[in-house]
C-alpha cells in the first residue's frame, strides 16, 4: 500500500482549510448563545481529523464525545448494516447535539445514527459532514452543514480510509483500485 496510488486530488489542503473555516462560521452563527455547551459528537474513526480541525474554528463553548458505528468493514461497498461498536460516554438528553461525519455516501449510516440519537431526546440535533456524495444516496437525510459535494468515487485521506490506510493524507484523493 503506497500513498502514491492516489492519483487524483478531490479536495486540496487549501480547499480543506477554506471549507472547514466556512463550516466553523456557519455553525457558530447558527447556535449563538446556548444555556449549556454544544455537544459535538464525532463518528469514529473517519471523522477524527475533520472534527479536530472543526472544533477549533467553532467559537461556541462545546464538549466532545465519540461513537463508533460499523458499516463497511474493510471493503468499499456499504453493507447497509449499522452496529454500535462503542457508545457515547455521556447522555445527550436535553442537550444541543451536533453530529459530525467524514462523509455521507448512501446515507444509511447517518440516517440510523440520527434515528437512534433522536430516541435519546436531545434538545436539538444537527448534522455536519465534511464530504457528501449526493449521487450515491439511498436513505433520505437532511444535512445542516455540508462541506463539499464530491462525485461518486471512492475517496481517501483527511481521515477517510481504504482498509484503514491513507487516513493521514492531508488532502482528499481518489484511490485507483
Ligand atoms: P453510508 O452509510 O453509505 O453513508 O456510508 C458512511 C460511511 O462509509 C462513512 O462514514 C465512511 O466511513 C464510509 N465511506 C463511504 N464512502 C466512502 C469513501 O468514498 N471513502 C471512504 N469511506 C467511505
Ligand atoms: Mg465513517
Amino acid at each position: 500500500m503506497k500513498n502514491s496510488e492516489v492519483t487524483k486530488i478531490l479536495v486540496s489542503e487549501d480547499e480543506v482549510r477554506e471549507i472547514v473555516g466556512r463550516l466553523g462560521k456557519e455553525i457558530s452563527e447558527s447556535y449563538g448563545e446556548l444555556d449549556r455547551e454544544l455537544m459535538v459528537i464525532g463518528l469514529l474513526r473517519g471523522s477524527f481529523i475533520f472534527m479536530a480541525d472543526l472544533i477549533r474554528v467553532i467559537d461556541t463553548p462545546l464538549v466532545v464525545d465519540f461513537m463508533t458505528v460499523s458499516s463497511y468493514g474493510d471493503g468499499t461497498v456499504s453493507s447497509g448494516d449499522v452496529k454500535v461498536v462503542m457508545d457515547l460516554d455521556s447522555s445527550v438528553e436535553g442537550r444541543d447535539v451536533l453530529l459530525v461525519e467524514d462523509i455521507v455516501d448512501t446515507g444509511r449510516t447517518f440516517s440510523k445514527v440520527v434515528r437512534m440519537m433522536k430516541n435519546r431526546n436531545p434538545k436539538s440535533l444537527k448534522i455536519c459532514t465534511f464530504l457528501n456524495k449526493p449521487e450515491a444516496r439511498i436513505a433520505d437525510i437532511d444535512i445542516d452543514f455540508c462541506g463539499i459535494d464530491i462525485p461518486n468515487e471512492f475517496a481517501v485521506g483527511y481521515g477517510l480510509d481504504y482498509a484503514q490506510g491513507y487516513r493521514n493524507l492531508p488532502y482528499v484523493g481518489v484511490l485507483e483500485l
Side-chain angles (χ1 to χ4, degrees):
M1 184 192 286
K2 284 205 224 99
N3 283 350
S4 58
E5 287 156 10
V6 176
T7 48
K8 188 167 83 178
I9 294 182
L10 284 180
V11 191
S12 69
E13 276 190 78
D14 282 350
E15 287 172 304
V16 166
R17 234 188 325 271
E18 245 175 68
I19 292 166
V20 173
R22 193 199 81 227
L23 289 172
K25 270 201 200 106
E26 281 179 26
I27 292 167
S28 309
E29 281 166 15
S30 142
Y31 284 104
E33 295 248 326
L34 298 174
D35 308 338
R36 286 182 75 184
E37 300 96 338
L38 175 64
M39 231 174 119
V40 184
I41 295 176
L43 296 187
L44 292 175
R45 282 168 251 181
S47 71
F48 81 110
I49 293 178
F50 172 48
M51 173 106 162
D53 286 345
L54 183 68
I55 59 168
R56 284 178 284 181
V57 292
I58 296 176
D59 57 24
T60 310
L62 58 82
V63 294
V64 300
D65 205 342
F66 294 94
M67 176 180 244
T68 308
V69 297
S70 72
S71 52
Y72 273 27
D74 277 347
T76 59
V77 180
S78 177
S79 62
D81 279 343
V82 176
K83 191 174 79 188
V84 176
V85 175
M86 184 195 73
D87 208 338
L88 300 172
D89 215 25
S90 36
S91 166
V92 301
E93 192 166 346
R95 305 293 302 258
D96 292 291
V97 172
L98 177 66
L99 275 176
V100 177
E101 249 292 33
D102 51 352
I103 183 165
V104 180
D105 182 25
T106 64
R108 281 173 167 146
T109 310
F110 229 177
S111 65
K112 287 186 184 163
V113 173
V114 166
R115 203 175 323 143
M116 188 169 68
M117 280 301 157
K118 282 187 176 157
N119 285 336
R120 298 181 182 188
N121 299 315
K123 184 175 171 197
S124 71
L125 182 63
K126 287 187 181 176
I127 285 163
C128 175
T129 186
F130 180 62
L131 301 175
N132 182 33
K133 276 194 214 171
E135 291 163 42
R137 195 72 87 255
I138 291 170
D140 201 27
I141 176 159
D142 284 332
I143 300 168
D144 299 283
F145 308 102
C146 181
I148 186 170
D149 287 356
I150 60 164
N152 198 3
E153 293 180 283
F154 198 77
V156 294
Y158 198 60
L160 289 99
D161 73 303
Y162 172 66
Q164 300 306 328
Y166 304 97
R167 292 194 199 271
N168 56 325
L169 297 177
Y171 53 83
V172 179
V174 173
L175 196 61
E176 298 299 323
L177 296 171

